Amino acid sequence: DGGITQSPKYLFRKEGQNVTLSCEQNLNHDAMYWYRQDPGQGLRLIYYSQIVNDFQKGDIAEGYSVSREKKESFPLTVTSAQKNPTAFYLCASSIRGYGEQYFGPGTRLTVT
Amino acid sequence: ELKVEQNPLFLSMQEGKNYTIYCNYSTTSDRLYWYRQDPGKSLESLFVLLSNGAVKQEGRLMASLDTKARLSTLHITAAVHDLSATYFCAVDINNAGNMLTFGGGTRLMVKP
């Protein structure tokens, strides 16, 4: 079955540690996205990538980094510079130029 | 900066009643998407609206788009408990299919 997977589902880290969230898709989509969702809020765009080896900052990129070495994979690193990293992180993908995005199941990150 | 505003933010309704959720946006766009999110879960695509006057229906939900008014509506007919969820609209900010801006969501609770 085609889809988007994110791992892990839950992640706990100590403050000051970098952590990498995985996102993989087998939909053959060119475009991939990372969003952050805080409780009771909408989604905010962190980074997006339209093609391999290229990505752009979204609205809240500070304290995050990404890479896009393969079409299927778009990992997100939450660095120690991110002041409030505890949140629900959602990865999505789409056909390039066609806006409907398909979402993965999400990773809930808790930093203490 | 594109703003996407939904109202109401919270809606409690009885089963069998009708209601409409509104999504207003602040800049020109011909592409708008509706998603559903169950508590603690990811987003599920409901409707893709790609032109002025577009109307889509699925079961008890009907979505429409008026690009001149910069307004989309999600109408609920004869609500049932299973429709309880948070509904998000998202606007393609440059009509290029590469970036969405999400509204803050409408939390719908349907009481038996």
Side-chain angles (χ1 to χ4, degrees), chain B residues 3-41:
Chain B
K3 292 186 179 178
V4 181
E5 296 182 343
Q6 290 182 234
N7 69 83
L9 297 180
F10 179 75
L11 177 56
S12 178
M13 56 192 298
Q14 296 292 129
E15 278 193 331
K17 298 292 187 183
N18 302 335
Y19 208 84
T20 301
I21 298 170
Y22 297 90
C23 173
N24 292 274
Y25 54 98
S26 62
T27 193
T28 303
S29 177
D30 294 330
R31 304 184 186 192
L32 190 138
Y33 308 83
W34 283 96
Y35 289 87
R36 168 181 171 144
Q37 185 179 36
D38 292 303
K41 303 293 185 182

Side-chain angles (χ1 to χ4, degrees), chain A residues 33 37 97 99-101 103-104, chain B residues 31 33 35 37 42 45 96 98:
Chain A
Y33 310 81
Q37 186 178 34
E100 185 183 16
Q101 295 180 13
F103 285 81
Chain B
R31 304 184 186 192
Y33 308 83
Y35 289 87
Q37 185 179 36
S42 186
S45 179
N98 61 5

